[in-house]
Amino acid sequence: MQVYIFPGQGSQARGMGKGLFEQFPDLVRSANKILGYSIEELCLEDPQQQLGQTQFTQPALYVVNALSYYKKIAETNQKPDFVAGHSLGEFNALLASECFSFSSGLKLVKKRGELMREADNGAMAAIINLSEHEIRDLLQQHNLHNIDLANFNTMSQIVISGDKDEVAKSQEVFQKGNALFFPLNTSGAFHSRFMSPLKRKFLNYLKKFNLQKLQIPVIANVTGTPYKQEKILEYLSNQMDSPVRWTETVQYLLAQKEMEFVEIGHGDVLSKLVKKIKRDFENCNDFPADKKKSTEATESFVQSESVSRVEAADSVELTADQKVANWNQQYPIGTKVVSTLSDYSDLITRTEAIVLFGHRAVVYMEGYNGYFCLDELIPKT
Amino acid sequence: MISKRKPIVFMFSGQGSQYYGMGKELYNSNSRFRTWMDYCDEIIAEEISISIIQHLFSDEFGIADSFDDITLTNPALVAIEYCLAKILIEEGIKPGCLVGYSLGELSAAVIADAVSIEQGLSYSIRLARHIKKYVQQAGMLSVISDPDIYQRQPDLFSGTTIAGYNFHSGFVVSGSNSDLQKLKNRLQRLGIASHELAVKYGFHSAAIDGFRERFLTSEPWLVAQPGKIKMMSACTVDEVTEITQPYLWRIIREPVQFQQLIECMAGKSDYYFIDVGPSATLATFLKYILRDYPGSTTFETINPFGHDLKAINRLLQSFTAI
């Protein structure tokens, strides 16, 4: 099985799309007409140094991603089994799934870029080596209440987004211990609450378009699971002020059998993330945070609270598929659980259980940015 | 609090300033340095499948062994300089200006945020691989003498090219290994000290021209943004305006005018110069150059004598005291 993944902002570079434009003269002409400037010149020459400004970055990436996709389809003569894109790249995933035409998609992206440009008082930064929980705790502790988590790129790479001054202030907080802080070159607080007013404008614009039936499953940024036809408007507009759940997207895809990831567009930003997510996942629930392999806390908890264990006898011979089926029958999303391997508190399941890599029965945990093996969990009842 | 009386300049040294064990003491004792190095190590390992940290700090090699495999030395230098600069910046020592010596210009570009650390490391590895493939091996010799001697005694230096001007009585030449060996022997007879650099190619000379065409006609290897910190080039003795493929070529092909650059800068303003290279070589050059410019001060960070911590702590204390 194959999934095509489309990159978003951050992978643009002068010179991108070289050799592509002449292969699709009609599409390039129609793009130039919609945009009112030469897309080819912007991508290849960038004479006015505009490629880094979101209202230009987004159409440029969209066009290069789209042409790269058409070229790939022409070469291979077959379509992928899944598509996904990171932020702006999701528009290319929907385009590949035939949700809208090339020109409609470009109009949407142009609009999105113009709206996002309006929000220019925000900042973003990538935090390396901390889990979602650790980041939230630190933000709380330091009264940084105007910062949201914008991208879950890998288990240990999370992008924060929010008020410019607070993000600047947060650098002190996120350059301690083993955390690393990288400011990003964006003008606005993308994928944060500061995008909410723009989201409504975008939704109004989006409603004017005639969205077609999806032909290839698209994994959505906002959920990390496949798009539902009736949710397109909601997911695509919410995407603006919600985090990009890239780690979950990749994990969902990894859970399918023998998935091959192919990055379509300029560069290899996403391929590197995929590699890292795969590696991180060699061990279930492998967090950057220290894991105490102590079961004492749990043991005492088991005595003090009424806890129902999954029949231990069963779990020995059950296949991963059976474990998942049993779990999903008994425990709805939102079940509170305890881990026998660590002293993580407040574990609440956020998805149904699934089988990863064809042999691991796991469920995604609220706030922990990752999956836990069913074998280590004890549901609270 | 650090006084803003004088702007701070970070200086990044180039090939030849690397050695086995560089930064080891700091890596073992400073968690921030370790965290940054581990981060770089992972990026490098993706490309060359070797852990630079394991190689660099292995007990197999010591300071006496020549660390000269360019595919390793290039990314190792960029990583060490980047991490050193990062921990200083995190301590509040923020540079207003960056100076790069040859490959050091790449480290400067990364710290200026003109290119990302991934791009910088990746470029250094790609450059190394191409040099290995297309360039004949040669060498570089550091000569402790006034560079005038090169003009005054051309026969003595036959077959060699001046690759860099370090200070009043120190310069570097590039040439074939046999020419350099002859030169070394002659210099010795004249009582002039010289030593080989751990560089197996004749950078800054015609010895790398075989690679020129291929490099210049290639798609840009680095797509740089405008830097956020001012960069001064020892190649042009001027501010770096744009990092293009032709400029990247000039950095490795033209002579390094380090002395001229520092004199030009120190002549206009007083600075705190900090050598963020691993060998404190540039700081040493400055001790001589700045004799005529007493308003500027020089600091070193780590050094080949294994007193990383002492040097770093001295630096930090100086800056809290300033």
Side-chain angles (χ1 to χ4, degrees), chain A residues 18 177 179 185 275 279, chain B residues 32 35-36 42 46 219 228:
Chain A
K18 197 178 164 69
N185 289 328
K275 220 168 166 176
R279 235 197 342 248
Chain B
R32 290 308 293 170
T35 299
W36 281 113
E42 201 176 324
E46 282 287 325
E219 285 300 305
K228 295 195 181 100

Side-chain angles (χ1 to χ4, degrees), chain B residues 124-293:
Chain B
S124 76
I125 293 163
R126 188 174 175 186
L127 180 65
R129 284 180 173 153
H130 280 75
I131 293 282
K132 258 188 175 172
K133 198 168 166 182
Y134 299 109
V135 172
Q136 284 280 322
Q137 287 206 358
M140 299 179 84
L141 189 76
S142 168
V143 181
I144 306 304
S145 165
D146 188 320
D148 282 357
I149 191 175
Y150 184 90
Q151 266 75 32
R152 282 189 282 111
Q153 303 195 44
D155 292 346
L156 180 64
F157 284 89
S158 76
T160 68
T161 310
I162 291 200
Y165 298 90
N166 294 342
F167 60 102
H168 314 85
S169 46
F171 64 104
V172 182
V173 293
S174 280
S176 73
N177 291 323
S178 62
D179 283 337
L180 290 182
Q181 195 49 56
K182 279 183 215 144
L183 172 62
K184 195 175 167 60
N185 296 339
R186 291 183 201 132
L187 289 170
Q188 208 165 1
R189 282 197 291 273
L190 294 170
I192 296 171
S194 69
H195 65 268
E196 294 97 344
L197 298 182
V199 183
K200 291 195 289 197
Y201 304 92
F203 284 99
H204 311 286
S205 80
I208 64 165
D209 282 352
F211 170 51
R212 178 200 181 99
E213 206 49 39
R214 187 175 294 273
F215 186 84
L216 288 176
T217 53
S218 164
E219 285 300 305
W221 287 16
L222 266 187
V223 179
Q225 314 293 325
K228 295 195 181 100
I229 305 172
K230 185 175 174 180
M231 291 176 269
M232 295 299 285
S233 165
C235 168
T236 61
V237 194
D238 202 352
E239 189 173 348
V240 178
T241 46
E242 208 188 346
I243 299 171
T244 58
Q245 198 73 356
Y247 179 69
L248 288 167
W249 176 253
R250 292 181 66 186
I251 289 176
I252 56 172
R253 176 60 181 87
E254 292 180 11
V256 182
Q257 305 189 66
F258 181 74
Q259 180 188 343
Q260 294 84 334
L261 174 65
I262 298 300
E263 284 175 345
C264 169
M265 288 172 70
K268 288 180 192 155
S269 161
D270 291 341
Y271 293 101
Y272 294 120
F273 288 99
I274 304 179
D275 186 346
V276 284
S279 282
T281 35
L282 302 181
T284 307
F285 303 160
L286 257 69
K287 275 176 198 148
Y288 297 101
I289 301 170
L290 294 179
R291 279 178 184 168
D292 306 333
Y293 305 94

Side-chain angles (χ1 to χ4, degrees), chain A residues 190-207:
Chain A
F190 306 151
H191 299 290
S192 78
R193 74 193 81 161
F194 296 94
M195 292 284 134
S196 302
L198 308 176
K199 170 177 96 170
R200 284 186 282 281
K201 289 184 187 170
F202 184 65
L203 180 60
N204 289 336
Y205 185 71
L206 190 57
K207 282 177 178 162

Side-chain angles (χ1 to χ4, degrees), chain A residues 321-346:
Chain A
D321 286 321
Q322 288 167 318
K323 286 180 196 169
V324 164
N326 285 355
W327 181 278
N328 289 338
Q329 239 170 21
Q330 294 181 68
Y331 310 111
I333 294 172
T335 300
K336 291 186 175 156
V337 295
V338 182
S339 163
T340 55
L341 288 184
S342 56
D343 51 5
Y344 287 121
S345 54
D346 317 322

